[in-house]
mmCIF file with all atom_site columns, all heavy atoms in Angstrom:
data_model
loop_
_atom_site.group_PDB
_atom_site.id
_atom_site.type_symbol
_atom_site.label_atom_id
_atom_site.label_alt_id
_atom_site.label_comp_id
_atom_site.label_asym_id
_atom_site.label_entity_id
_atom_site.label_seq_id
_atom_site.pdbx_PDB_ins_code
_atom_site.Cartn_x
_atom_site.Cartn_y
_atom_site.Cartn_z
_atom_site.occupancy
_atom_site.B_iso_or_equiv
_atom_site.pdbx_formal_charge
_atom_site.auth_seq_id
_atom_site.auth_comp_id
_atom_site.auth_asym_id
_atom_site.auth_atom_id
_atom_site.pdbx_PDB_model_num
ATOM 1   N N   . VAL A 1 129 ? -13.924 15.948 8.181  1.00 51.00 ? 158 VAL A N   1
ATOM 2   C CA  . VAL A 1 129 ? -12.649 16.520 8.143  1.00 51.00 ? 158 VAL A CA  1
ATOM 3   C C   . VAL A 1 129 ? -11.702 15.578 7.422  1.00 51.00 ? 158 VAL A C   1
ATOM 4   O O   . VAL A 1 129 ? -10.834 16.161 6.627  1.00 51.00 ? 158 VAL A O   1
ATOM 5   C CB  . VAL A 1 129 ? -12.080 16.774 9.626  1.00 51.00 ? 158 VAL A CB  1
ATOM 6   C CG1 . VAL A 1 129 ? -10.761 17.194 9.596  1.00 51.00 ? 158 VAL A CG1 1
ATOM 7   C CG2 . VAL A 1 129 ? -13.136 17.895 10.164 1.00 51.00 ? 158 VAL A CG2 1
ATOM 8   N N   . LYS A 1 130 ? -11.614 14.346 7.753  1.00 58.00 ? 159 LYS A N   1
ATOM 9   C CA  . LYS A 1 130 ? -10.655 13.381 7.034  1.00 58.00 ? 159 LYS A CA  1
ATOM 10  C C   . LYS A 1 130 ? -10.974 13.470 5.537  1.00 58.00 ? 159 LYS A C   1
ATOM 11  O O   . LYS A 1 130 ? -9.973  13.449 4.790  1.00 58.00 ? 159 LYS A O   1
ATOM 12  C CB  . LYS A 1 130 ? -10.870 11.985 7.651  1.00 58.00 ? 159 LYS A CB  1
ATOM 13  C CG  . LYS A 1 130 ? -9.968  10.986 7.038  1.00 58.00 ? 159 LYS A CG  1
ATOM 14  C CD  . LYS A 1 130 ? -9.981  9.622  7.812  1.00 58.00 ? 159 LYS A CD  1
ATOM 15  C CE  . LYS A 1 130 ? -8.965  8.730  7.260  1.00 58.00 ? 159 LYS A CE  1
ATOM 16  N NZ  . LYS A 1 130 ? -9.172  7.383  7.848  1.00 58.00 ? 159 LYS A NZ  1
ATOM 17  N N   . ASN A 1 131 ? -12.171 13.435 5.184  1.00 57.00 ? 160 ASN A N   1
ATOM 18  C CA  . ASN A 1 131 ? -12.508 13.285 3.652  1.00 57.00 ? 160 ASN A CA  1
ATOM 19  C C   . ASN A 1 131 ? -12.070 14.656 3.042  1.00 57.00 ? 160 ASN A C   1
ATOM 20  O O   . ASN A 1 131 ? -11.392 14.529 1.906  1.00 57.00 ? 160 ASN A O   1
ATOM 21  C CB  . ASN A 1 131 ? -14.078 13.303 3.476  1.00 57.00 ? 160 ASN A CB  1
ATOM 22  C CG  . ASN A 1 131 ? -14.450 11.840 3.640  1.00 57.00 ? 160 ASN A CG  1
ATOM 23  O OD1 . ASN A 1 131 ? -13.740 10.810 3.501  1.00 57.00 ? 160 ASN A OD1 1
ATOM 24  N ND2 . ASN A 1 131 ? -15.773 11.635 3.981  1.00 57.00 ? 160 ASN A ND2 1
ATOM 25  N N   . MET A 1 132 ? -12.325 15.767 3.565  1.00 56.00 ? 161 MET A N   1
ATOM 26  C CA  . MET A 1 132 ? -11.951 16.973 2.972  1.00 56.00 ? 161 MET A CA  1
ATOM 27  C C   . MET A 1 132 ? -10.365 17.257 2.928  1.00 56.00 ? 161 MET A C   1
ATOM 28  O O   . MET A 1 132 ? -9.943  17.642 1.875  1.00 56.00 ? 161 MET A O   1
ATOM 29  C CB  . MET A 1 132 ? -12.634 18.232 3.723  1.00 56.00 ? 161 MET A CB  1
ATOM 30  C CG  . MET A 1 132 ? -14.117 18.372 3.423  1.00 56.00 ? 161 MET A CG  1
ATOM 31  S SD  . MET A 1 132 ? -14.402 18.375 1.681  1.00 56.00 ? 161 MET A SD  1
ATOM 32  C CE  . MET A 1 132 ? -13.602 19.897 1.230  1.00 56.00 ? 161 MET A CE  1
ATOM 33  N N   . SER A 1 133 ? -9.762  16.931 3.957  1.00 57.00 ? 162 SER A N   1
ATOM 34  C CA  . SER A 1 133 ? -8.255  16.988 4.038  1.00 57.00 ? 162 SER A CA  1
ATOM 35  C C   . SER A 1 133 ? -7.678  16.028 2.993  1.00 57.00 ? 162 SER A C   1
ATOM 36  O O   . SER A 1 133 ? -6.649  16.534 2.351  1.00 57.00 ? 162 SER A O   1
ATOM 37  C CB  . SER A 1 133 ? -7.731  16.737 5.525  1.00 57.00 ? 162 SER A CB  1
ATOM 38  O OG  . SER A 1 133 ? -7.980  15.497 5.911  1.00 57.00 ? 162 SER A OG  1
ATOM 39  N N   . SER A 1 134 ? -8.128  14.867 2.942  1.00 62.00 ? 163 SER A N   1
ATOM 40  C CA  . SER A 1 134 ? -7.628  13.989 1.953  1.00 62.00 ? 163 SER A CA  1
ATOM 41  C C   . SER A 1 134 ? -7.879  14.542 0.374  1.00 62.00 ? 163 SER A C   1
ATOM 42  O O   . SER A 1 134 ? -7.141  14.381 -0.377 1.00 62.00 ? 163 SER A O   1
ATOM 43  C CB  . SER A 1 134 ? -8.235  12.603 1.962  1.00 62.00 ? 163 SER A CB  1
ATOM 44  O OG  . SER A 1 134 ? -7.750  11.924 3.286  1.00 62.00 ? 163 SER A OG  1
ATOM 45  N N   . ALA A 1 137 ? -5.506  17.296 -0.175 1.00 65.00 ? 166 ALA A N   1
ATOM 46  C CA  . ALA A 1 137 ? -4.129  16.785 -0.434 1.00 65.00 ? 166 ALA A CA  1
ATOM 47  C C   . ALA A 1 137 ? -4.017  16.173 -1.714 1.00 65.00 ? 166 ALA A C   1
ATOM 48  O O   . ALA A 1 137 ? -2.912  16.289 -2.456 1.00 65.00 ? 166 ALA A O   1
ATOM 49  C CB  . ALA A 1 137 ? -3.877  15.811 0.730  1.00 65.00 ? 166 ALA A CB  1
ATOM 50  N N   . HIS A 1 174 ? 4.471   6.599  0.199  1.00 77.00 ? 203 HIS A N   1
ATOM 51  C CA  . HIS A 1 174 ? 3.293   5.797  -0.122 1.00 77.00 ? 203 HIS A CA  1
ATOM 52  C C   . HIS A 1 174 ? 2.188   6.584  -0.823 1.00 77.00 ? 203 HIS A C   1
ATOM 53  O O   . HIS A 1 174 ? 1.277   5.920  -1.444 1.00 77.00 ? 203 HIS A O   1
ATOM 54  C CB  . HIS A 1 174 ? 2.793   5.254  1.191  1.00 77.00 ? 203 HIS A CB  1
ATOM 55  C CG  . HIS A 1 174 ? 2.337   6.152  2.183  1.00 77.00 ? 203 HIS A CG  1
ATOM 56  N ND1 . HIS A 1 174 ? 3.374   6.791  3.050  1.00 77.00 ? 203 HIS A ND1 1
ATOM 57  C CD2 . HIS A 1 174 ? 1.152   6.685  2.582  1.00 77.00 ? 203 HIS A CD2 1
ATOM 58  C CE1 . HIS A 1 174 ? 2.647   7.678  3.908  1.00 77.00 ? 203 HIS A CE1 1
ATOM 59  N NE2 . HIS A 1 174 ? 1.351   7.630  3.539  1.00 77.00 ? 203 HIS A NE2 1
ATOM 60  N N   . ARG A 1 175 ? 2.208   7.942  -0.817 1.00 81.00 ? 204 ARG A N   1
ATOM 61  C CA  . ARG A 1 175 ? 1.185   8.736  -1.478 1.00 81.00 ? 204 ARG A CA  1
ATOM 62  C C   . ARG A 1 175 ? 1.618   8.979  -2.947 1.00 81.00 ? 204 ARG A C   1
ATOM 63  O O   . ARG A 1 175 ? 0.690   9.421  -3.708 1.00 81.00 ? 204 ARG A O   1
ATOM 64  C CB  . ARG A 1 175 ? 1.062   10.133 -0.783 1.00 81.00 ? 204 ARG A CB  1
ATOM 65  C CG  . ARG A 1 175 ? 0.792   10.086 0.681  1.00 81.00 ? 204 ARG A CG  1
ATOM 66  C CD  . ARG A 1 175 ? 0.644   11.426 1.258  1.00 81.00 ? 204 ARG A CD  1
ATOM 67  N NE  . ARG A 1 175 ? 0.431   11.395 2.597  1.00 81.00 ? 204 ARG A NE  1
ATOM 68  C CZ  . ARG A 1 175 ? 1.422   11.517 3.584  1.00 81.00 ? 204 ARG A CZ  1
ATOM 69  N NH1 . ARG A 1 175 ? 2.676   11.637 3.132  1.00 81.00 ? 204 ARG A NH1 1
ATOM 70  N NH2 . ARG A 1 175 ? 1.240   11.594 4.933  1.00 81.00 ? 204 ARG A NH2 1
ATOM 71  N N   . THR A 1 202 ? -7.559  2.882  16.442 1.00 60.00 ? 231 THR A N   1
ATOM 72  C CA  . THR A 1 202 ? -7.658  4.349  16.224 1.00 60.00 ? 231 THR A CA  1
ATOM 73  C C   . THR A 1 202 ? -6.843  4.715  15.026 1.00 60.00 ? 231 THR A C   1
ATOM 74  O O   . THR A 1 202 ? -5.809  4.024  14.763 1.00 60.00 ? 231 THR A O   1
ATOM 75  C CB  . THR A 1 202 ? -7.091  5.076  17.367 1.00 60.00 ? 231 THR A CB  1
ATOM 76  O OG1 . THR A 1 202 ? -5.633  4.724  17.685 1.00 60.00 ? 231 THR A OG1 1
ATOM 77  C CG2 . THR A 1 202 ? -7.921  4.963  18.604 1.00 60.00 ? 231 THR A CG2 1
ATOM 78  N N   . ALA A 1 203 ? -7.166  5.738  14.180 1.00 58.00 ? 232 ALA A N   1
ATOM 79  C CA  . ALA A 1 203 ? -6.430  6.232  13.000 1.00 58.00 ? 232 ALA A CA  1
ATOM 80  C C   . ALA A 1 203 ? -5.159  6.694  13.487 1.00 58.00 ? 232 ALA A C   1
ATOM 81  O O   . ALA A 1 203 ? -4.960  7.296  14.523 1.00 58.00 ? 232 ALA A O   1
ATOM 82  C CB  . ALA A 1 203 ? -7.243  7.319  12.427 1.00 58.00 ? 232 ALA A CB  1
ATOM 83  N N   . LYS A 1 204 ? -4.146  6.537  12.632 1.00 52.00 ? 233 LYS A N   1
ATOM 84  C CA  . LYS A 1 204 ? -2.677  6.844  12.904 1.00 52.00 ? 233 LYS A CA  1
ATOM 85  C C   . LYS A 1 204 ? -2.407  8.213  12.290 1.00 52.00 ? 233 LYS A C   1
ATOM 86  O O   . LYS A 1 204 ? -1.194  8.690  12.400 1.00 52.00 ? 233 LYS A O   1
ATOM 87  C CB  . LYS A 1 204 ? -1.734  5.851  12.507 1.00 52.00 ? 233 LYS A CB  1
ATOM 88  C CG  . LYS A 1 204 ? -1.969  4.411  13.084 1.00 52.00 ? 233 LYS A CG  1
ATOM 89  C CD  . LYS A 1 204 ? -2.239  4.486  14.570 1.00 52.00 ? 233 LYS A CD  1
ATOM 90  C CE  . LYS A 1 204 ? -2.372  2.945  15.196 1.00 52.00 ? 233 LYS A CE  1
ATOM 91  N NZ  . LYS A 1 204 ? -3.632  2.482  14.747 1.00 52.00 ? 233 LYS A NZ  1
ATOM 92  N N   . PHE A 1 205 ? -3.347  8.780  11.538 1.00 52.00 ? 234 PHE A N   1
ATOM 93  C CA  . PHE A 1 205 ? -2.888  10.078 10.865 1.00 52.00 ? 234 PHE A CA  1
ATOM 94  C C   . PHE A 1 205 ? -3.910  11.075 11.193 1.00 52.00 ? 234 PHE A C   1
ATOM 95  O O   . PHE A 1 205 ? -5.207  10.887 11.253 1.00 52.00 ? 234 PHE A O   1
ATOM 96  C CB  . PHE A 1 205 ? -3.121  9.732  9.214  1.00 52.00 ? 234 PHE A CB  1
ATOM 97  C CG  . PHE A 1 205 ? -2.115  8.935  8.653  1.00 52.00 ? 234 PHE A CG  1
ATOM 98  C CD1 . PHE A 1 205 ? -2.301  7.547  8.651  1.00 52.00 ? 234 PHE A CD1 1
ATOM 99  C CD2 . PHE A 1 205 ? -0.868  9.493  8.190  1.00 52.00 ? 234 PHE A CD2 1
ATOM 100 C CE1 . PHE A 1 205 ? -1.220  6.710  8.138  1.00 52.00 ? 234 PHE A CE1 1
ATOM 101 C CE2 . PHE A 1 205 ? 0.102   8.613  7.677  1.00 52.00 ? 234 PHE A CE2 1
ATOM 102 C CZ  . PHE A 1 205 ? -0.092  7.303  7.741  1.00 52.00 ? 234 PHE A CZ  1
ATOM 103 N N   . GLY A 1 206 ? -3.449  12.352 11.323 1.00 52.00 ? 235 GLY A N   1
ATOM 104 C CA  . GLY A 1 206 ? -4.250  13.528 11.701 1.00 52.00 ? 235 GLY A CA  1
ATOM 105 C C   . GLY A 1 206 ? -4.105  14.457 10.624 1.00 52.00 ? 235 GLY A C   1
ATOM 106 O O   . GLY A 1 206 ? -3.705  14.261 9.485  1.00 52.00 ? 235 GLY A O   1
ATOM 107 N N   . LEU A 1 207 ? -4.690  15.771 10.893 1.00 51.00 ? 236 LEU A N   1
ATOM 108 C CA  . LEU A 1 207 ? -4.742  16.889 9.962  1.00 51.00 ? 236 LEU A CA  1
ATOM 109 C C   . LEU A 1 207 ? -3.229  17.140 9.411  1.00 51.00 ? 236 LEU A C   1
ATOM 110 O O   . LEU A 1 207 ? -3.085  17.348 8.195  1.00 51.00 ? 236 LEU A O   1
ATOM 111 C CB  . LEU A 1 207 ? -5.367  18.081 10.505 1.00 51.00 ? 236 LEU A CB  1
ATOM 112 C CG  . LEU A 1 207 ? -5.537  19.256 9.442  1.00 51.00 ? 236 LEU A CG  1
ATOM 113 C CD1 . LEU A 1 207 ? -6.405  18.922 8.379  1.00 51.00 ? 236 LEU A CD1 1
ATOM 114 C CD2 . LEU A 1 207 ? -6.152  20.419 10.239 1.00 51.00 ? 236 LEU A CD2 1
ATOM 115 N N   . TRP A 1 208 ? -2.214  17.206 10.142 1.00 54.00 ? 237 TRP A N   1
ATOM 116 C CA  . TRP A 1 208 ? -1.001  17.476 9.670  1.00 54.00 ? 237 TRP A CA  1
ATOM 117 C C   . TRP A 1 208 ? -0.415  16.481 8.683  1.00 54.00 ? 237 TRP A C   1
ATOM 118 O O   . TRP A 1 208 ? -0.005  16.972 7.647  1.00 54.00 ? 237 TRP A O   1
ATOM 119 C CB  . TRP A 1 208 ? -0.058  17.501 10.929 1.00 54.00 ? 237 TRP A CB  1
ATOM 120 C CG  . TRP A 1 208 ? 1.463   17.531 10.451 1.00 54.00 ? 237 TRP A CG  1
ATOM 121 C CD1 . TRP A 1 208 ? 2.419   16.576 10.444 1.00 54.00 ? 237 TRP A CD1 1
ATOM 122 C CD2 . TRP A 1 208 ? 2.196   18.615 10.011 1.00 54.00 ? 237 TRP A CD2 1
ATOM 123 N NE1 . TRP A 1 208 ? 3.601   16.916 9.984  1.00 54.00 ? 237 TRP A NE1 1
ATOM 124 C CE2 . TRP A 1 208 ? 3.462   18.287 9.640  1.00 54.00 ? 237 TRP A CE2 1
ATOM 125 C CE3 . TRP A 1 208 ? 1.739   20.161 9.765  1.00 54.00 ? 237 TRP A CE3 1
ATOM 126 C CZ2 . TRP A 1 208 ? 4.445   19.270 9.156  1.00 54.00 ? 237 TRP A CZ2 1
ATOM 127 C CZ3 . TRP A 1 208 ? 2.807   20.901 9.341  1.00 54.00 ? 237 TRP A CZ3 1
ATOM 128 C CH2 . TRP A 1 208 ? 4.017   20.546 9.033  1.00 54.00 ? 237 TRP A CH2 1
ATOM 129 N N   . ASN A 1 209 ? -0.361  15.143 9.045  1.00 56.00 ? 238 ASN A N   1
ATOM 130 C CA  . ASN A 1 209 ? 0.038   14.110 8.056  1.00 56.00 ? 238 ASN A CA  1
ATOM 131 C C   . ASN A 1 209 ? -0.987  13.786 7.025  1.00 56.00 ? 238 ASN A C   1
ATOM 132 O O   . ASN A 1 209 ? -0.480  12.978 6.092  1.00 56.00 ? 238 ASN A O   1
ATOM 133 C CB  . ASN A 1 209 ? 0.725   12.978 8.797  1.00 56.00 ? 238 ASN A CB  1
ATOM 134 C CG  . ASN A 1 209 ? -0.257  12.404 9.780  1.00 56.00 ? 238 ASN A CG  1
ATOM 135 O OD1 . ASN A 1 209 ? -1.422  12.511 9.793  1.00 56.00 ? 238 ASN A OD1 1
ATOM 136 N ND2 . ASN A 1 209 ? 0.382   11.701 10.762 1.00 56.00 ? 238 ASN A ND2 1
ATOM 137 N N   . ARG A 1 210 ? -2.102  14.338 6.958  1.00 58.00 ? 239 ARG A N   1
ATOM 138 C CA  . ARG A 1 210 ? -2.968  14.107 5.723  1.00 58.00 ? 239 ARG A CA  1
ATOM 139 C C   . ARG A 1 210 ? -2.896  15.358 4.797  1.00 58.00 ? 239 ARG A C   1
ATOM 140 O O   . ARG A 1 210 ? -3.111  15.192 3.716  1.00 58.00 ? 239 ARG A O   1
ATOM 141 C CB  . ARG A 1 210 ? -4.396  13.922 6.283  1.00 58.00 ? 239 ARG A CB  1
ATOM 142 C CG  . ARG A 1 210 ? -4.793  12.754 6.766  1.00 58.00 ? 239 ARG A CG  1
ATOM 143 C CD  . ARG A 1 210 ? -6.263  12.406 6.751  1.00 58.00 ? 239 ARG A CD  1
ATOM 144 N NE  . ARG A 1 210 ? -6.592  11.315 7.767  1.00 58.00 ? 239 ARG A NE  1
ATOM 145 C CZ  . ARG A 1 210 ? -7.075  11.506 8.912  1.00 58.00 ? 239 ARG A CZ  1
ATOM 146 N NH1 . ARG A 1 210 ? -7.251  12.731 9.400  1.00 58.00 ? 239 ARG A NH1 1
ATOM 147 N NH2 . ARG A 1 210 ? -7.319  10.412 9.688  1.00 58.00 ? 239 ARG A NH2 1
ATOM 148 N N   . LEU A 1 211 ? -2.498  16.507 5.295  1.00 57.00 ? 240 LEU A N   1
ATOM 149 C CA  . LEU A 1 211 ? -2.618  17.759 4.572  1.00 57.00 ? 240 LEU A CA  1
ATOM 150 C C   . LEU A 1 211 ? -1.323  18.456 4.427  1.00 57.00 ? 240 LEU A C   1
ATOM 151 O O   . LEU A 1 211 ? -0.671  18.532 3.333  1.00 57.00 ? 240 LEU A O   1
ATOM 152 C CB  . LEU A 1 211 ? -3.658  18.631 5.088  1.00 57.00 ? 240 LEU A CB  1
ATOM 153 C CG  . LEU A 1 211 ? -4.006  19.930 4.239  1.00 57.00 ? 240 LEU A CG  1
ATOM 154 C CD1 . LEU A 1 211 ? -4.305  19.528 2.834  1.00 57.00 ? 240 LEU A CD1 1
ATOM 155 C CD2 . LEU A 1 211 ? -5.125  20.608 4.912  1.00 57.00 ? 240 LEU A CD2 1
ATOM 156 N N   . PHE A 1 212 ? -0.736  18.832 5.541  1.00 63.00 ? 241 PHE A N   1
ATOM 157 C CA  . PHE A 1 212 ? 0.551   19.727 5.377  1.00 63.00 ? 241 PHE A CA  1
ATOM 158 C C   . PHE A 1 212 ? 1.715   18.808 5.172  1.00 63.00 ? 241 PHE A C   1
ATOM 159 O O   . PHE A 1 212 ? 2.535   19.209 4.314  1.00 63.00 ? 241 PHE A O   1
ATOM 160 C CB  . PHE A 1 212 ? 0.740   20.386 6.703  1.00 63.00 ? 241 PHE A CB  1
ATOM 161 C CG  . PHE A 1 212 ? -0.347  21.362 7.061  1.00 63.00 ? 241 PHE A CG  1
ATOM 162 C CD1 . PHE A 1 212 ? -1.326  21.103 8.108  1.00 63.00 ? 241 PHE A CD1 1
ATOM 163 C CD2 . PHE A 1 212 ? -0.598  22.548 6.283  1.00 63.00 ? 241 PHE A CD2 1
ATOM 164 C CE1 . PHE A 1 212 ? -2.417  22.060 8.357  1.00 63.00 ? 241 PHE A CE1 1
ATOM 165 C CE2 . PHE A 1 212 ? -1.708  23.488 6.692  1.00 63.00 ? 241 PHE A CE2 1
ATOM 166 C CZ  . PHE A 1 212 ? -2.619  23.089 7.561  1.00 63.00 ? 241 PHE A CZ  1
ATOM 167 N N   . GLY A 1 213 ? 1.838   17.718 5.768  1.00 65.00 ? 242 GLY A N   1
ATOM 168 C CA  . GLY A 1 213 ? 2.894   16.704 5.349  1.00 65.00 ? 242 GLY A CA  1
ATOM 169 C C   . GLY A 1 213 ? 2.911   16.362 3.907  1.00 65.00 ? 242 GLY A C   1
ATOM 170 O O   . GLY A 1 213 ? 4.045   16.543 3.291  1.00 65.00 ? 242 GLY A O   1
ATOM 171 N N   . PRO A 1 214 ? 1.840   16.011 3.235  1.00 68.00 ? 243 PRO A N   1
ATOM 172 C CA  . PRO A 1 214 ? 1.827   15.705 1.811  1.00 68.00 ? 243 PRO A CA  1
ATOM 173 C C   . PRO A 1 214 ? 2.283   16.874 1.057  1.00 68.00 ? 243 PRO A C   1
ATOM 174 O O   . PRO A 1 214 ? 2.981   16.743 0.028  1.00 68.00 ? 243 PRO A O   1
ATOM 175 C CB  . PRO A 1 214 ? 0.342   15.285 1.560  1.00 68.00 ? 243 PRO A CB  1
ATOM 176 C CG  . PRO A 1 214 ? 0.000   14.625 2.907  1.00 68.00 ? 243 PRO A CG  1
ATOM 177 C CD  . PRO A 1 214 ? 0.630   15.619 3.796  1.00 68.00 ? 243 PRO A CD  1
#
Side-chain angles (χ1 to χ4, degrees):
V158 172
K159 183 176 181 180
N160 282 337
M161 286 305 299
S162 60
S163 293
H203 59 276
R204 305 180 186 95
T231 57
K233 308 305 186 292
F234 292 89
L236 182 62
W237 168 260
N238 47 24
R239 284 199 196 98
L240 186 56
F241 301 109

